Amino acid sequence: MSNEDRATNAEAMLSVYNINVWYGAIHAIKSVSFDVREGEIVALIGANGAGKSTTLKTVSGLLRSQTGSITFLGDDIMHTPADKLVGRGLAQVPEGRRVFLEMSVEENLEMGAYTQPKTSVAPGIARVYDAFPRLKERRRQVAGTLSGGEQQMLAMGRALMSNPKLLMLDEPSMGLAPILIEQIFQIIEDLHRSGSTILLVEQNAQMALSIATRAYVMETGKVTLTGTGAELLVNDDVRRAYLGG
Ligand SMILES: Nc1ncnc2c1ncn2[C@@H]1O[C@H](COP(=O)(O)OP(=O)(O)OP(=O)(O)O)[C@@H](O)[C@H]1O
Ligand SMILES: [Mg+2]
């Protein structure tokens, strides 16, 4: 790492440097480095199995790197338990949007506020309903009967209840119809405009790059390319591999 990189990293909200993650004998993440600065949407794109989810899980403390460093808001979080990180402002919406299916929409949102003082729950719910009017209409409905898109909105709303400084989204568009994908990306842009910093993992490279401040391309466990969203959208290699020509 050059001195210039160090200076850049010191300013980053999240700085990931040279992480390596194994599942048993499988070397899933190979010397990956990236950072996220305050106010950015940073996208990680790449094919199935590239290591995107593994990277997010390592940042959120569910998996551990054997090497390198991860700092969040200036603190080393390499050994911080996942539940503590939520309280510090790092929220993750996992792949496959795991909401509590037996609970109502509003109960799910309340669960998301477990790190927050009781007095902030009602204002938090009001803010989530502002961002997702659809959830407000369905506040008493059990989550298991929501559509896939509505469950994604609920998973995002629940993460927002922890009042995160950095929101990490793992494939929010997965399994959704095109119209719902548009809606979800619109909401991500709205959150960004109102000040949220976002780390977005996506296979939908077109959509992700079109809203990303910057992006990193992952291939078989490595970062192979980085640039602004606009740069990568017109990059020939990216177009061939991820944008259908
Ligand atoms: N629990 C696990 N045990 C063993 N190998 C795993 C495990 N989870 C993931 N892997 C492997 O690690 C690699 C990276 O997986 P990961 O889920 O991070 O990919 P991804 O980029 O998120 O893919 P996708 O777009 O399909 O979600 C893959 O080769 C995968 O098979
Ligand atoms: Mg994944």
Side-chain angles (χ1 to χ4, degrees), residues 86 91-94 96-101 103-116 124-125 128 132 135 143 150-164 167:
V86 179
Q92 186 185 358
V93 179
R97 41 182 181 268
R98 271 166 243 121
V99 294
F100 301 109
L101 297 174
M103 291 184 186
S104 72
V105 165
E106 196 146 306
E107 286 163 348
N108 266 278
L109 294 178
E110 286 162 6
M111 294 295 285
Y114 74 95
T115 58
Q116 300 296 301
I125 288 177
V128 169
F132 305 91
L135 293 182
E150 289 161 355
Q151 285 187 15
Q152 181 61 49
M153 292 177 198
L154 180 56
M156 289 168 66
R158 192 179 60 187
L160 289 172
M161 289 297 294
S162 70
N163 205 11
L167 180 63

Side-chain angles (χ1 to χ4, degrees), residues 35-45 169 185-186 188-190 192-193 196-202 204-217 225-234 238 243:
D35 53 54
V36 181
R37 298 170 207 144
E38 187 169 357
E40 286 189 315
I41 298 183
V42 170
L44 297 184
I45 64 168
L169 303 171
F185 274 84
Q186 187 59 56
I188 296 170
E189 279 198 286
D190 290 346
H192 179 234
R193 213 169 293 120
S196 295
T197 305
I198 293 165
L199 177 56
L200 171 68
V201 159
E202 262 299 335
N204 190 327
Q206 177 75 45
M207 293 293 282
L209 292 177
S210 59
I211 66 166
T213 325
R214 293 184 305 113
Y216 296 83
V217 178
L225 198 58
T226 183
T228 65
E231 283 165 357
L232 294 184
L233 264 180
V234 298
V238 172
L243 303 173

Side-chain angles (χ1 to χ4, degrees), residues 30 56 59-60 99 103 116 141 145 172 185 199 203 219 234:
K30 300 166 187 154
L56 278 202
V59 171
S60 62
V99 294
M103 291 184 186
Q116 300 296 301
Q141 189 170 327
T145 62
F185 274 84
L199 177 56
Q203 272 198 58
E219 277 173 52
V234 298

Side-chain angles (χ1 to χ4, degrees), residues 23 26 28 46-55 95 171 203:
Y23 293 108
I26 299 169
N48 285 120
K52 306 179 299 294
S53 296
T54 303
T55 300
E95 204 172 53
E171 306 236 15
Q203 272 198 58

